[in-house]
Amino acid sequence: MLNTLNDVLNNVDNFIWGMPLIILILFTGILLTVRLRGLQIRHLGKALHYVFHNEDDGEGEVTSFGALCTALSATIGTGNIVGCATAIVAGGPGALFWMWLAAFFGMATKYAEGMLAVKYRVIAEDGHALGGPFYYIEKGMGKNFKWLAKLFCVFGTMVGLFGIGTFTQVNGITSAVNNFFDPSNVHTISLFGMNYSISVVVAGIIVTICAGLVIIGGIKRISKVSEVIVPFMAVTYIGVCLIIVFTHLPQVPAAFAEIVQSAFGLKAVAGGAIGAMTVAMQKGIARGIFSNEAGLGSAPIAAAAAQTNEPVRQGLVSMTGTFIDTIIVCTMTGLAIVMTGAWDMGLEGVAVTTKAFALGLPFPAKASAFVLMMCLVFFAFTTILGWAYYSERCLEYLVNGKKFVITAFKWFYILAVFIGPFMTVSAVWTIADICNGLMAFPNLVALLVLNGDVVSETRGYLERVGIVKTTVGEA
């Protein structure tokens, strides 16, 4: 019975994360890119400038930089290390090219999400900000579509509490710690009728305590912690990958050539080019979307909390999240894997990136493994924090802001983090993955319906600040 249930859930999961969702997300990104006339290229410099220059008098709860770091805390995660490796192993080096393409169009999508989140958010008298897909669906599309907003929130709450925010992340942390400190499970303790490595138990307790102290403090504490950890972990990881790049400079041109050739099946044997290209495209685009979350509707929940009076300004800041996540961080992972050849050694998942670090870094293998373990720990920990905020805001919309429900939810979330290392039911993770994909559909419908709002608001802002006179097409 359990095997049948798992098979059904896996089939549903594969369908939702298959071509229908990929095509819908890509279509939305392409449409917005065309209607905004390549805003993600022409105004990327301005967007990066806004990241480090906050508004002093804007409404909201946290700075624009804090909102971006909160979004990045949930976005930059194990997908950048494990997901990227999985895509390259399954689809070849060319998968990285298609990840770039998904990120390019995803930047336009992420811009629209962030802009709409601020435009349609609600600011309470105490400065409490609430916004995201649920509000731009209700207020932008009309109250007749409130059911669609609530549907998004149901999926968002489930994803945070039962999957991406808790079980999978803390499992990733404890597994990484266990694989480094006690891979043979020599030191064990009996809990819940099963034996677990002491390293798993200790790591789980520490993560639960740290996460709890931050989550109870709400968005302001989450953003403050994210402002410290996210830049630190991103710079550290990128720096480590750059060491691999600079110590293998002669291989860099060949790596890029292999990525492009593999993307279009140019290295496949006669008759297999189209098949090779199709696999690289599917794996790369799917992993790219999963990694940067453009179109899923999660990041605009954080964007809505930003201290700003300009929706377009925050949209541009939000757009940089996809650029940082995929164009920079995933590229670093991909280059390390391709240059060292780790993708073609019969390894899977994190073992691929671990091998790339061991081969590429001029450090002892143990030191390289430790660096990667710490990156995984930080990446997964910040994802716990980011999704705690996302799911809390979704629930807040569903229960009309009832504080006792929100408080109870926070403690349930912390409890889920605590029991995460001891959860082995794969069906729970599959359900969470399904809900994560289902979040995208209400959000994408709203983006397509409201694309005229995105265009007109963007044009008005750019003309108002004197950047250009006519930047985007008529709504």
Side-chain angles (χ1 to χ4, degrees), residues 23-76:
I23 291 172
L24 185 58
I25 290 178
L26 277 182
F27 173 77
T28 304
I30 292 170
L31 175 67
L32 290 168
T33 297
V34 171
R35 297 220 61 198
L36 295 167
R37 297 185 182 178
L39 173 139
Q40 65 264 56
I41 296 176
R42 295 184 302 110
H43 297 295
L44 179 59
K46 177 64 69 176
L48 292 171
H49 171 78
Y50 284 158
V51 168
F52 301 102
H53 293 80
N54 298 304
E55 287 184 54
D56 295 326
D57 58 347
E59 289 186 303
E61 294 185 79
V62 298
T63 64
S64 290
F65 181 67
L68 174 65
C69 286
T70 301
L72 283 174
S73 70
T75 305
I76 298 180

Side-chain angles (χ1 to χ4, degrees), residues 75-84 168-169 172-173 376-377 379-380 383:
T75 305
I76 298 180
T78 53
N80 297 83
I81 297 176
V82 182
C84 184
T168 55
Q169 300 305 323
I173 292 173
L376 277 168
V377 168
F379 280 18
T383 301

